[in-house]
Amino acid sequence: MSPAVDATEVRRRTHELLAAHPPATTGRTDFLKARFDAGLAWVHYPEGLGGLDAPRSLQQVVDAELAAADAPDNDPRRIGIGLGMAAPTILGFGTDEQKRRFLRPLWVGEEVWCQLFSEPGAGSDLAALATRAVQGEDGDWTADGQKVWTSSAHVARWAILIARTDPDLPKHRGISYFICDMTDQGVDVRPLRQITGEAEFNEVFLSGVRIPDSHRLGPVGEGWKVAQTTLMNERVSIGGSRIPREGGMIGPVSTTWRERPGLRTHDTHQRLLTLWVEAEVARVTGERLRQQLVAGQPGPEGSGMKLAFARLNQEISGLEVELLGDEGLLYGDWTMVRPELVDFTGRDAGYRYLRSKGNSIEGGTSEVLLNIVAERVLGLPAEPRNDKDVAWKDLSR
């Protein structure tokens, strides 16, 4: 970390960027590329990779200056998997060539990423995955299998993929981690229509998909270790994103309460007060978690934040529907579409209520996360695992 880069220096570099590339006259993509090249994309990343090797806390200085200048952002909701999961994994385990190839177009938003982890028989027990990757004589790999609940697969250029490369080893030790080309002719993406009517998720079938060995992240057989970096960052990105006071799900119901006093009851008043306080506690706790990231990589604490996020979203959306009475039973549009992002606050109460049901499943089920918090945060005894030293091929399925 460079001691010469402080808030004054970051602010100076930001002003230079704005002077050389005025947002009003510079194309959005050109501005974002210039920002990346100036080291102002994510300042804690190394120089040459969109950063300045500076403290993570200085990013808010950059963001504030650019927001004041009405500079374009990279639409982080659309590329959240790339920003929150793929990028830190590539940074932590990728080769220099992989970092140079993937990080810039990922951050700029030219290439969307998805996550090929969960399978029909390996969701909560992800390490039981059955998708196979076999290495050929030329050193490259061929992948076959099925993945499910894949957000953004229908618009993704690249995917982070974990696959079994040695079925003779126990399930956690026979997995490798790859970057998969979603345009390969062996990739078949099919929509999964959800309770909201949309098909935001997908199932993905891999049939003879070719993966160069140069697209492997980490050593062969150590994919589970690499995947832990992805999963910990995923839970922080889901449950610990920076939002203002009354941001997120608590915002719309609070606005309804203030603007429509005729809907109020004593019971909904008490419940709203309780949930407002809990949402604020979660927001401040998320800010503390982000400050802890300055010292290193995210830990299991992100699982606790994701747990709180899921519970609060479901309780708040339930209160909102109840507060609206008959109006809360209306649903704006059940047309089958395949959106590029999830928009909780820009939709109606019925959408928020239905979509929040998935929050306790996606990114790790609440039951799995409770185990992680119990074992890795509270230090409680681990559950007995009879399959720990059994070869994957010998497990009952």
Side-chain angles (χ1 to χ4, degrees):
M1 187 173 294
S2 175
V5 180
D6 57 13
T8 300
E9 175 64 12
V10 166
R11 192 172 285 109
R12 182 189 68 79
R13 293 181 184 229
T14 306
H15 291 167
E16 286 185 351
L17 169 68
L18 292 168
H21 306 275
T25 57
T26 304
R28 178 177 179 274
T29 300
D30 290 338
F31 181 87
L32 293 173
K33 289 179 177 179
R35 176 178 171 182
F36 185 95
D37 295 340
L40 301 173
W42 33 44
V43 297
H44 59 290
Y45 272 44
E47 293 188 36
L49 298 176
L52 299 171
D53 202 24
R56 184 191 294 257
S57 58
L58 293 180
Q59 188 65 53
Q60 59 187 337
V61 177
V62 176
D63 294 344
E65 293 288 340
L66 294 179
D70 199 24
D73 67 17
N74 56 356
D75 198 3
R77 292 187 304 167
R78 186 178 71 91
I79 58 173
I81 293 174
L83 294 175
M85 297 168 232
T89 308
I90 293 170
L91 182 66
F93 294 92
T95 64
D96 289 342
E97 181 180 354
Q98 289 169 340
K99 295 172 187 176
R100 289 191 299 268
R101 164 60 186 87
F102 293 112
L103 289 179
R104 189 174 188 254
L106 180 157
W107 188 87
V108 170
E110 293 180 310
E111 295 178 342
V112 177
W113 288 67
C114 66
Q115 179 188 21
L116 298 177
F117 276 29
S118 295
E119 300 183 3
S124 297
D125 184 12
L126 179 59
L129 63 90
T131 293
R132 289 292 310 277
V134 178
Q135 192 169 26
E137 293 182 358
D138 59 358
D140 292 340
W141 301 80
T142 302
D144 293 274
Q146 180 185 359
K147 298 291 182 176
V148 75
W149 309 124
T150 308
S151 301
S152 302
H154 55 292
V155 293
R157 174 65 179 81
W158 298 100
I160 45 179
L161 163 71
I162 50 176
R164 188 157 306 283
T165 50
D166 192 342
D168 294 322
L169 292 175
K171 61 183 183 181
H172 290 87
R173 289 163 43 200
I175 295 171
S176 298
Y177 196 117
F178 302 94
I179 295 171
C180 176
D181 184 350
M182 292 295 289
T183 66
D184 186 283
Q185 63 181 4
V187 176
D188 180 16
V189 179
R190 304 178 190 177
L192 285 174
R193 195 174 191 191
Q194 298 146 240
I195 194 174
T196 60
E198 298 181 338
E200 163 206 334
F201 292 118
N202 304 271
E203 54 183 346
V204 180
F205 294 85
L206 308 175
S207 302
V209 176
R210 298 286 294 174
I211 303 175
D213 192 54
S214 60
H215 284 185
R216 172 171 45 83
L217 284 177
V220 175
E222 295 190 17
W224 187 252
K225 176 182 177 182
V226 182
Q228 292 310 297
T229 294
T230 304
L231 294 172
M232 287 189 293
N233 279 283
E234 177 183 25
R235 288 153 193 168
V236 170
S237 66
I238 292 176
S241 57
R242 176 175 281 113
I243 58 175
R245 176 173 289 184
E246 284 198 8
M249 296 280 271
I250 197 66
V253 67
S254 298
T255 299
T256 298
W257 178 268
R258 294 189 182 100
E259 295 179 351
R260 303 178 63 179
L263 298 175
R264 301 174 187 173
T265 67
H266 175 75
D267 175 62
T268 53
H269 186 200
Q270 296 303 311
R271 289 164 59 193
L272 177 60
L273 286 175
T274 299
L275 291 171
W276 193 99
V277 171
E278 291 186 8
E280 181 64 8
V281 168
R283 185 186 72 84
V284 174
T285 302
E287 184 62 39
R288 183 176 64 184
L289 177 61
R290 285 186 294 276
Q291 292 173 0
Q292 292 174 344
L293 294 181
V294 174
Q297 291 294 319
E301 295 83 3
S303 297
M305 284 302 303
K306 198 270 179 180
L307 272 169
F309 168 85
R311 180 184 64 81
L312 280 171
N313 272 5
Q314 291 171 359
E315 292 188 15
I316 291 169
S317 63
L319 172 61
E320 183 181 20
V321 167
E322 186 172 339
L323 177 65
L324 289 169
D326 293 344
E327 183 182 334
L329 299 177
L330 301 176
Y331 196 73
D333 188 3
W334 208 69
T335 303
M336 160 50 169
V337 295
R338 304 180 77 180
E340 293 190 10
L341 53 85
V342 178
D343 183 10
F344 280 105
T345 57
R347 302 285 295 275
D348 56 31
Y351 174 84
R352 282 188 284 276
Y353 178 78
L354 294 177
R355 180 58 184 82
S356 67
K357 299 306 179 185
N359 292 161
S360 51
I361 301 172
E362 57 197 347
T365 67
S366 292
E367 291 77 12
V368 167
L369 298 186
L370 284 169
N371 276 346
I372 292 174
V373 171
E375 296 174 13
R376 300 181 58 191
V377 178
L378 301 178
L380 298 178
E383 288 189 344
R385 292 178 172 86
N386 298 325
D387 59 359
K388 184 176 181 181
D389 298 315
V390 179
W392 176 83
K393 67 178 184 179
D394 296 327
L395 296 176
S396 298
R397 284 184 293 279

